[in-house]
Amino acid sequence: MSSKSAVAASSSQKPAAAAGKAKVGKVQSYYGKLPVYSRSGLQRARGSWAIKNKKKIEKKKVAPKKVEKTFGGKPLALVRPRASRTYPAAVKRTTHKEARPVAVRKSITKGTVLILLAGRFRGRRVVALRTLPSGLVVVTGPFKLNGVPLRRVNPAYVIATSTKIDLKGVKIDEKINDSYFRKPATKETEKKSAQHFFAGQRATEKTTPAEKIADQKAVDAAIVAAVKKVPMMAQYLGTSFSINKNQVPHTLKF
């Protein structure tokens, strides 16, 4: 094999080897159709995402001017250039959030019998006493009839029935509001000993304050007296709500 033929063979092999490697700087393709790198892959391969201290080219600020043009024979004053619809990320958008008044359903009034749909006492029938500014409704069982104490419930999780109890002469103390039901803030967390942990009991058992027990008795006494005036109302409040498999919920009238 002569030297000229060897040189020619080596020169013919170089482009084939180079063609097998994809250069990062250019978008090469297979058969002229499918690119080797995608847009994000090319950016990752070039390392352009890691380039810091990029030179920022500041655009020249052009003062807006009023330009008069005629459209349909009528003169119009336009501002050019137009104001940008975008805003810089450093500028905080002002949000106008205001406390909207809470609207409770008209069917939920004082003395209305409600059916609880969620929570610890779901399925129980309770009596609505008051609507709070937070939008929650104060209800009671009464506790003597079905074991439901004074509590706040979300009106979205109750069914308002057509049954009502006359509570015109019953006065609910003004102290029974949103702050009345809030738990006292305790900084120290309860620590459990080994005995209480395995026994499943707390180190210090929580008890209901005597004031709330007295309030419950005072409210229940007035409501139970109104309930006894209606025949079978005490038994109605004492039973839980349930649906049989042959009953269709949307056809029921509460």
Side-chain angles (χ1 to χ4, degrees):
M1 192 174 188
S2 62
S3 60
K4 291 182 180 181
S5 60
V7 172
S10 63
S11 61
S12 62
Q13 291 176 359
K14 284 182 180 179
K21 297 180 181 178
K23 293 183 180 180
V24 174
K26 297 180 180 180
V27 180
Q28 297 192 3
S29 60
Y30 295 113
Y31 305 107
K33 293 182 179 180
L34 300 174
V36 177
Y37 293 103
S38 63
R39 189 190 305 177
S40 59
L42 184 63
Q43 186 181 14
R44 185 166 57 253
R46 284 177 177 172
S48 57
W49 55 272
I51 298 174
K52 298 179 180 179
N53 301 325
K54 289 185 179 180
K55 293 182 180 179
K56 296 181 179 179
I57 301 172
E58 295 184 359
K59 295 182 180 180
K60 294 181 180 179
K61 295 182 179 179
V62 181
K65 297 180 180 179
K66 289 186 177 180
V67 180
E68 292 186 358
K69 291 189 177 182
T70 57
F71 292 94
K74 296 180 180 179
L76 294 175
L78 305 176
V79 179
R80 294 290 183 271
R82 294 177 179 177
S84 177
R85 294 182 180 181
T86 60
Y87 55 91
V91 178
K92 293 182 179 179
R93 296 185 68 179
T94 56
T95 56
H96 303 280
K97 291 184 178 180
E98 297 179 358
R100 296 180 181 179
V102 181
V104 183
R105 299 200 300 271
K106 294 180 180 179
S107 57
I108 301 176
T109 56
K110 184 179 179 180
T112 304
V113 177
L114 308 176
I115 299 172
L116 302 181
L117 301 178
R120 179 183 172 188
F121 301 101
R122 59 182 176 272
R124 302 288 181 88
R125 294 182 173 91
V126 294
V127 182
L129 301 180
R130 175 184 296 165
T131 302
L132 300 175
S134 61
L136 302 178
V137 181
V138 180
V139 299
T140 184
F143 184 80
K144 186 177 181 180
L145 298 179
N146 54 22
V148 181
L150 278 168
R151 59 191 291 111
R152 296 180 297 178
V153 295
N154 190 337
Y157 297 99
V158 300
I159 296 175
T161 65
S162 58
T163 306
K164 291 188 178 181
I165 301 171
D166 188 9
L167 299 180
K168 291 182 180 179
V170 178
K171 293 184 179 180
I172 309 301
D173 199 343
E174 292 296 330
K175 68 178 181 181
I176 300 177
N177 49 24
D178 286 313
S179 59
Y180 179 83
F181 295 98
R182 288 172 187 161
K183 295 181 180 180
T186 55
K187 295 183 179 179
E188 297 180 0
T189 56
E190 294 184 358
K191 295 182 179 179
K192 295 182 179 180
S193 61
Q195 276 185 337
H196 292 94
F197 180 80
F198 289 108
Q201 298 177 353
R202 296 179 179 176
T204 55
E205 293 183 359
K206 291 184 178 180
T207 57
T208 306
E211 296 179 0
K212 290 192 174 183
I213 294 174
D215 295 338
Q216 181 72 57
K217 290 181 179 179
V219 172
D220 282 2
I223 294 176
V224 169
V227 168
K228 287 182 178 180
K229 295 178 182 179
V230 183
M232 301 297 293
M233 182 58 69
Q235 291 82 346
Y236 174 71
L237 293 174
T239 57
S240 298
F241 172 76
S242 61
I243 296 178
N244 298 330
K245 63 179 181 179
N246 296 325
Q247 290 177 321
V248 185
H250 66 273
T251 60
L252 298 178
K253 293 184 179 180
F254 298 97

